[in-house]
């Protein structure tokens, strides 16, 4: 089995790589170097993943600039390695020349429930829309759309009233890493087809965020989480998690 990971260069991405390297035969990690412009998130990441500052995988590593992953010369080099699977988290949108390379598919972690929210900052937008039950992750195949590929499974983290926006996002990341690690053997052995996305969630892009929206969401966060947790079981039923195994 020949597996490649494509990710980015922050501590949460290092956590993804470590989780995957512990449960699958990773032969190559491709790291896109992206600036960390959110200082609050950076500080919280340091608290969540402090033990991973100096950790590195015991395999080949390619360090690329942002967007370089889609260059034709990278596609040629990657094709020559003949990967069986590619798993991605936090990288640039991949062109078909990359995601079509692996024999058994290219699988992504999207930190959002795609039937509700696609694109960037999905956990934030779920909270902004007062839908914490839509905070979660989707493990899906990559296709030509944005977070529209066949769904393997979804997972939802445990939230607390005192969580910050950063906590919600990072909890979602960790929950997805752990859930994928638990199901890796099943994915590698059965190569599931996944379920088609029947209803596309709203697509958010970087341009949709501004300081006013961020402040409004931050200010109402505690109220939103408290209301959700008081009625969690019923609220979660409103957005059932999708799995190709059930």
């Amino acid at each position: 089995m020949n597996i490649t990971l494509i990710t980015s260069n922050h501590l949460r991405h290092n956590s993804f790589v470590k989780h995957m390297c512990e449960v699958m035969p990773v032969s190559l990690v491709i790291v896109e170097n992206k600036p960390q412009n959110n200082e609050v998130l950076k500080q919280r990441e340091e608290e969540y993943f402090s033990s991973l500052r100096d950790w590195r995988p015991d395999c080949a590593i390619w360090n690329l600039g942002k967007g370089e992953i889609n260059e034709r010369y990278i596609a040629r080099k990657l094709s020559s390695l003949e990967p069986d699977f590619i798993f991605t988290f936090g990288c640039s949108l991949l062109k078909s020349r990359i995601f079509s390379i692996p024999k058994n598919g290219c699988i992504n972690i999207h930190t959002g429930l795609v039937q509700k929210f696609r694109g960037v900052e999905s956990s934030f937008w779920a909270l902004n829309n007062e839908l914490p039950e839509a905070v979660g992750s989707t493990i899906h195949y990559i296709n030509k759309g944005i977070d529209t590929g066949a769904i393997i499974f979804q997972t939802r983290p445990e939230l607390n009233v005192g969580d910050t926006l950063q906590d919600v996002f990072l909890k979602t990341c960790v929950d997805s890493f752990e859930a994928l690690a638990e199901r890796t053997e099943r994915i590698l052995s059965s190569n599931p087809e996944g379920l088609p996305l029947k209803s596309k969630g709203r697509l958010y892009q970087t341009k949709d965020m501004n300081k006013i929206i961020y402040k409004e969401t931050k200010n109402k966060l505690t109220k939103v989480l408290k209301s959700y947790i008081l009625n969690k079981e019923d609220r979660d039923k409103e957005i059932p998690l999708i799995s190709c195994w059930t």
Side-chain angles (χ1 to χ4, degrees):
M1 186 69 70
N2 183 351
I3 294 174
T4 291
L5 306 180
I6 305 176
T7 190
S8 191
N9 59 312
H10 305 139
L11 285 177
R12 63 185 181 275
H13 305 109
N14 219 22
S15 179
F16 160 70
V17 173
K18 189 172 189 297
H19 275 85
M20 297 304 99
C21 285
E22 289 174 349
V23 296
M24 62 177 72
V26 177
S27 56
L28 171 65
V29 177
I30 300 176
V31 179
E32 276 195 293
N33 289 284
K34 298 180 181 179
Q36 173 61 285
N37 298 319
N38 188 328
E39 286 300 319
V40 177
L41 177 59
K42 182 179 180 179
Q43 291 174 8
R44 202 72 178 113
E45 263 191 311
E46 289 281 346
E47 297 173 19
Y48 270 73
F49 309 116
S50 59
S51 63
L52 297 178
R53 285 194 200 96
D54 300 317
W55 183 86
R56 296 293 180 273
D58 186 20
C59 65
I61 302 173
W62 295 356
N63 287 289
L64 305 180
K66 183 179 179 181
E68 191 178 357
I69 183 63
N70 286 307
E71 295 291 338
R72 292 185 185 278
Y73 82 93
I74 294 294
R76 289 193 295 270
K77 288 178 64 177
L78 192 53
S79 293
S80 70
L81 300 178
E82 300 182 338
D84 295 294
F85 285 94
I86 291 177
F87 289 83
T88 74
F89 170 68
C91 62
S92 298
L93 292 175
L94 299 181
K95 293 184 178 181
S96 60
R97 69 170 67 109
I98 300 296
F99 69 71
S100 62
I101 288 173
K103 175 183 176 182
N104 296 322
C106 193
I107 296 173
N108 178 58
I109 295 177
H110 170 64
T111 49
L113 301 185
V114 292
Q115 63 271 45
K116 288 295 180 180
F117 300 100
R118 298 178 298 120
V120 301
E121 306 279 1
S122 288
S123 63
F124 172 86
W125 291 111
L127 298 169
N128 172 267
N129 284 273
E130 300 186 15
L131 288 172
E133 58 268 38
V135 171
S137 295
T138 304
I139 284 69
H140 66 97
Y141 288 101
I142 294 178
N143 63 8
K144 291 183 179 181
I146 299 177
D147 302 322
T148 58
I151 298 167
I152 301 174
F153 72 92
Q154 295 180 320
T155 183
R156 183 185 275 127
E158 289 295 322
L159 304 180
N160 298 311
V161 172
D163 287 341
T164 65
L165 292 170
Q166 292 73 34
D167 287 324
V168 173
F169 172 61
L170 294 174
K171 280 185 174 184
T172 303
C173 292
V174 173
D175 181 64
S176 68
F177 305 158
E178 293 175 349
L180 178 54
E182 290 172 1
R183 294 162 177 80
T184 292
E185 184 176 351
R186 191 172 187 180
I187 291 172
L188 299 186
S189 62
S190 66
N191 190 23
E193 290 185 6
L195 297 174
L197 177 60
K198 295 181 179 180
S199 178
K200 294 180 184 179
R202 181 172 176 179
L203 177 63
Y204 282 96
Q205 298 175 293
T206 302
K207 64 182 180 181
D208 296 313
M209 178 71 79
N210 61 52
K211 291 181 179 180
I212 294 175
I213 291 174
Y214 181 88
K215 185 176 180 180
E216 288 176 348
T217 306
K218 181 180 178 182
N219 288 343
K220 68 181 178 181
L221 177 61
T222 300
K223 179 181 177 181
V224 168
L225 289 176
K226 186 178 293 185
S227 174
Y228 166 64
I229 290 168
L230 285 173
N231 302 281
K232 184 179 187 304
E233 186 174 347
D234 290 335
R235 294 277 293 269
D236 286 350
K237 289 178 182 178
E238 294 296 317
I239 307 177
L241 298 179
I242 299 169
S243 172
C244 69
W245 294 308
T246 57

